[in-house]
Amino acid sequence: MTPLNTLQQKLKQQTANLFYTDSPQTIAYLTNFYSDPHERILALFVYGEDSVLLVPELEVSEARKNEHIGQVIGYRDEENAWHKLRHAPFLVQAERYWKIGIETDQLVVERYEELQSLFPAADFINFTPSINEMKMVKSAEEIQKLLKAGELADQALEIGMAALKTGVSEREIVALIEFEMKKRGASSMSFDTMVLFGDHAASPHGTPGERKLVEDEPVLFDLGVIYDGYASDVTRTVMYGKASEAFLSAYSSVLNAQRSAQEQVSPGVTTGELDQIARELLTKDSFGQYFTHRLGHGIGQSVHEYPNIAAGTDLPLCKGMCFSLEPGVYIKGQFGIRIEDCVALTDKGPLAFTQTSKELITLPLQS
């Protein structure tokens, strides 16, 4: 059964007549049609056993090749896209559509108002939980794509580590990694590549800049790629030269927290319990106050998807779920350490998408 078929079943279950989305990620998930419309509108309407895709004219020919899409309606830049829908099959009797599913976490107010004008008698219901539920459990094919994206992420780490030398800047390493990933088949990076030196890594989501690498300091890599529509995400913290005792102690604690959480990934364990496992171990080692974010997040076509692996959540894990496990310790003015793998829950337990060693990698000084 295709994702589109599953959605059509969910519409029936919730007695909804129509589903609307203008999220490129959701459209790609449902139809396998990938497009970045930029400021233009790309919208999918699903009703009954049929669907209509509203698409910029320059992408009409590609969209019509897609076997999952019923009808394609194109519009030119000088045209009002919403007016082009006036003669769409589902608008002939717009009053029939009294319950319409939307993604409330994606839909902006301007487009919501356009929908209200098209369907003045409709009630709009939040379909985000249903879409999240569908995306959360990956198929075997999806997991293979995530594994391939993970292989490229491992290569990116290798490239970055090999390029470290005294005096190189964070931005230089980022540029090299991203250039090489393009050459190796990545369509893009899955998010802005992070390469952070020394105390700069004490900001969990710091921005790489002109900071120069000096001897005997750690380097944090957080990166991922998009390959065949699916994302990877990995973090490793390595040592350039000799590590301090304080760094070694913190690294050992983060590594233990990450591995312990990953080892407990199994059906029925909850997302909150995984976070608690890592957080309690770091707290026991007196580093709990420096772990300032959730343990992880879902991953798939987007680098951050449902669910949250966080304190206060209680979603039971099940086969096919894919998510990150990334505890960290960030001590201002000293260093930041994060270790992250993304995994799939399989019949044999957690399957990591990245294989770069999590033991501390110490790199020799280079000039």
Side-chain angles (χ1 to χ4, degrees):
M1 181 179 293
T2 68
L4 199 55
N5 295 147
T6 302
L7 173 64
Q8 288 163 339
Q9 283 193 349
K10 287 184 177 293
L11 286 170
K12 290 178 182 177
Q13 291 166 3
Q14 298 190 42
T15 62
N17 312 76
L18 181 74
F19 172 75
Y20 168 90
T21 181
D22 53 28
S23 161
Q25 290 80 20
T26 300
I27 292 171
Y29 173 73
L30 292 171
T31 68
N32 210 34
F33 176 72
Y34 295 86
S35 172
D36 181 356
H38 302 290
E39 75 283 1
R40 301 177 178 94
I41 183 171
L42 173 73
L44 179 69
F45 299 80
V46 181
Y47 58 101
E49 302 299 320
D50 211 344
S51 60
V52 169
L53 184 70
L54 178 66
V55 63
E57 186 68 32
L58 71 168
E59 300 203 54
V60 165
S61 59
E62 284 300 312
R64 285 181 174 155
K65 295 176 185 177
N66 189 296
E67 62 183 0
H68 302 291
I69 301 168
Q71 181 182 358
V72 175
I73 297 176
Y75 66 91
R76 299 175 66 87
D77 286 344
E78 66 271 19
E79 294 179 310
N80 184 310
W82 297 96
H83 289 173
K84 296 284 285 189
L85 287 168
R86 297 292 179 183
H87 301 292
F90 56 84
L91 278 176
V92 174
Q93 293 178 296
E95 66 276 4
R96 290 174 48 208
Y97 297 97
W98 55 272
K99 188 185 284 189
I100 299 175
I102 57 174
E103 292 179 282
T104 57
D105 64 334
Q106 301 289 333
L107 185 59
V108 299
V109 173
E110 180 183 18
R111 292 181 182 177
Y112 178 59
E113 290 175 346
E114 292 283 3
L115 281 175
Q116 288 181 311
S117 69
L118 288 176
F119 304 99
D123 289 329
F124 293 88
I125 61 172
N126 182 16
F127 238 67
T128 294
S130 295
I131 296 298
N132 283 341
E133 182 182 299
M134 290 170 58
K135 289 182 177 181
M136 182 180 72
V137 177
K138 269 62 177 182
S139 67
E141 181 183 1
E142 288 179 294
I143 290 172
Q144 286 303 310
K145 291 179 179 181
L146 289 163
L147 281 166
K148 180 60 180 176
E151 288 178 17
L152 286 171
D154 279 327
Q155 293 176 31
L157 288 173
E158 184 178 356
I159 290 163
M161 286 187 269
L164 293 178
K165 62 181 180 179
T166 302
V168 72
S169 73
E170 294 167 335
R171 281 182 181 163
E172 286 177 292
I173 302 298
V174 169
L176 176 63
I177 289 171
E178 296 188 349
F179 175 67
E180 288 295 328
M181 285 299 96
K182 281 283 190 178
K183 286 169 60 177
R184 298 180 190 210
S187 58
S188 66
M189 306 307 289
S190 51
F191 55 94
D192 291 340
T193 302
M194 277 187 277
V195 178
L196 304 171
F197 299 159
D199 60 350
H200 198 188
S203 173
H205 277 181
T207 301
E210 295 307 315
R211 168 79 150 76
K212 307 291 185 183
L213 183 62
V214 300
E215 296 179 358
D216 303 330
E217 69 175 357
V219 177
L220 187 149
F221 294 92
D222 189 352
L223 54 85
V225 306
I226 299 293
Y227 181 84
D228 200 9
Y230 283 77
S232 55
D233 185 6
V234 65
T235 307
R236 292 292 187 269
T237 307
V238 304
M239 192 67 211
Y240 179 70
K242 186 177 180 180
S244 68
E245 289 301 318
F247 175 85
L248 291 173
S249 176
Y251 191 94
S252 176
S253 186
V254 174
L255 178 59
N256 183 42
Q258 200 283 333
R259 282 181 167 164
S260 296
Q262 188 163 318
E263 287 168 359
Q264 294 303 310
V265 170
S266 59
V269 174
T270 70
T271 50
E273 286 170 344
L274 283 183
D275 185 283
Q276 183 179 15
I277 289 166
R279 202 167 297 277
E280 287 185 349
L281 287 169
L282 287 168
T283 300
K284 179 172 177 269
D285 293 339
S286 300
F287 293 113
Q289 64 181 311
Y290 304 114
F291 180 23
T292 55
H293 54 75
R294 63 188 176 183
L295 179 63
H297 54 80
I299 190 168
Q301 290 178 314
S302 299
V303 70
H304 284 183
E305 291 189 351
Y306 181 80
N308 281 329
I309 314 298
T313 63
D314 60 359
L315 181 70
L317 304 184
C318 65
K319 179 184 173 184
M321 287 177 63
C322 300
F323 49 88
S324 73
L325 298 166
E326 48 182 303
V329 164
Y330 314 93
I331 303 178
K332 186 176 180 180
Q334 296 186 44
F335 52 75
I337 299 167
R338 186 163 62 253
I339 303 171
E340 173 189 16
D341 274 334
C342 291
V343 302
L345 178 48
T346 72
D347 288 330
K348 298 180 180 179
L351 171 65
F353 299 140
T354 42
Q355 303 301 319
T356 300
S357 176
K358 290 183 280 195
E359 294 288 344
L360 179 60
I361 296 172
T362 301
L363 299 168
L365 302 177
Q366 302 284 346
S367 57

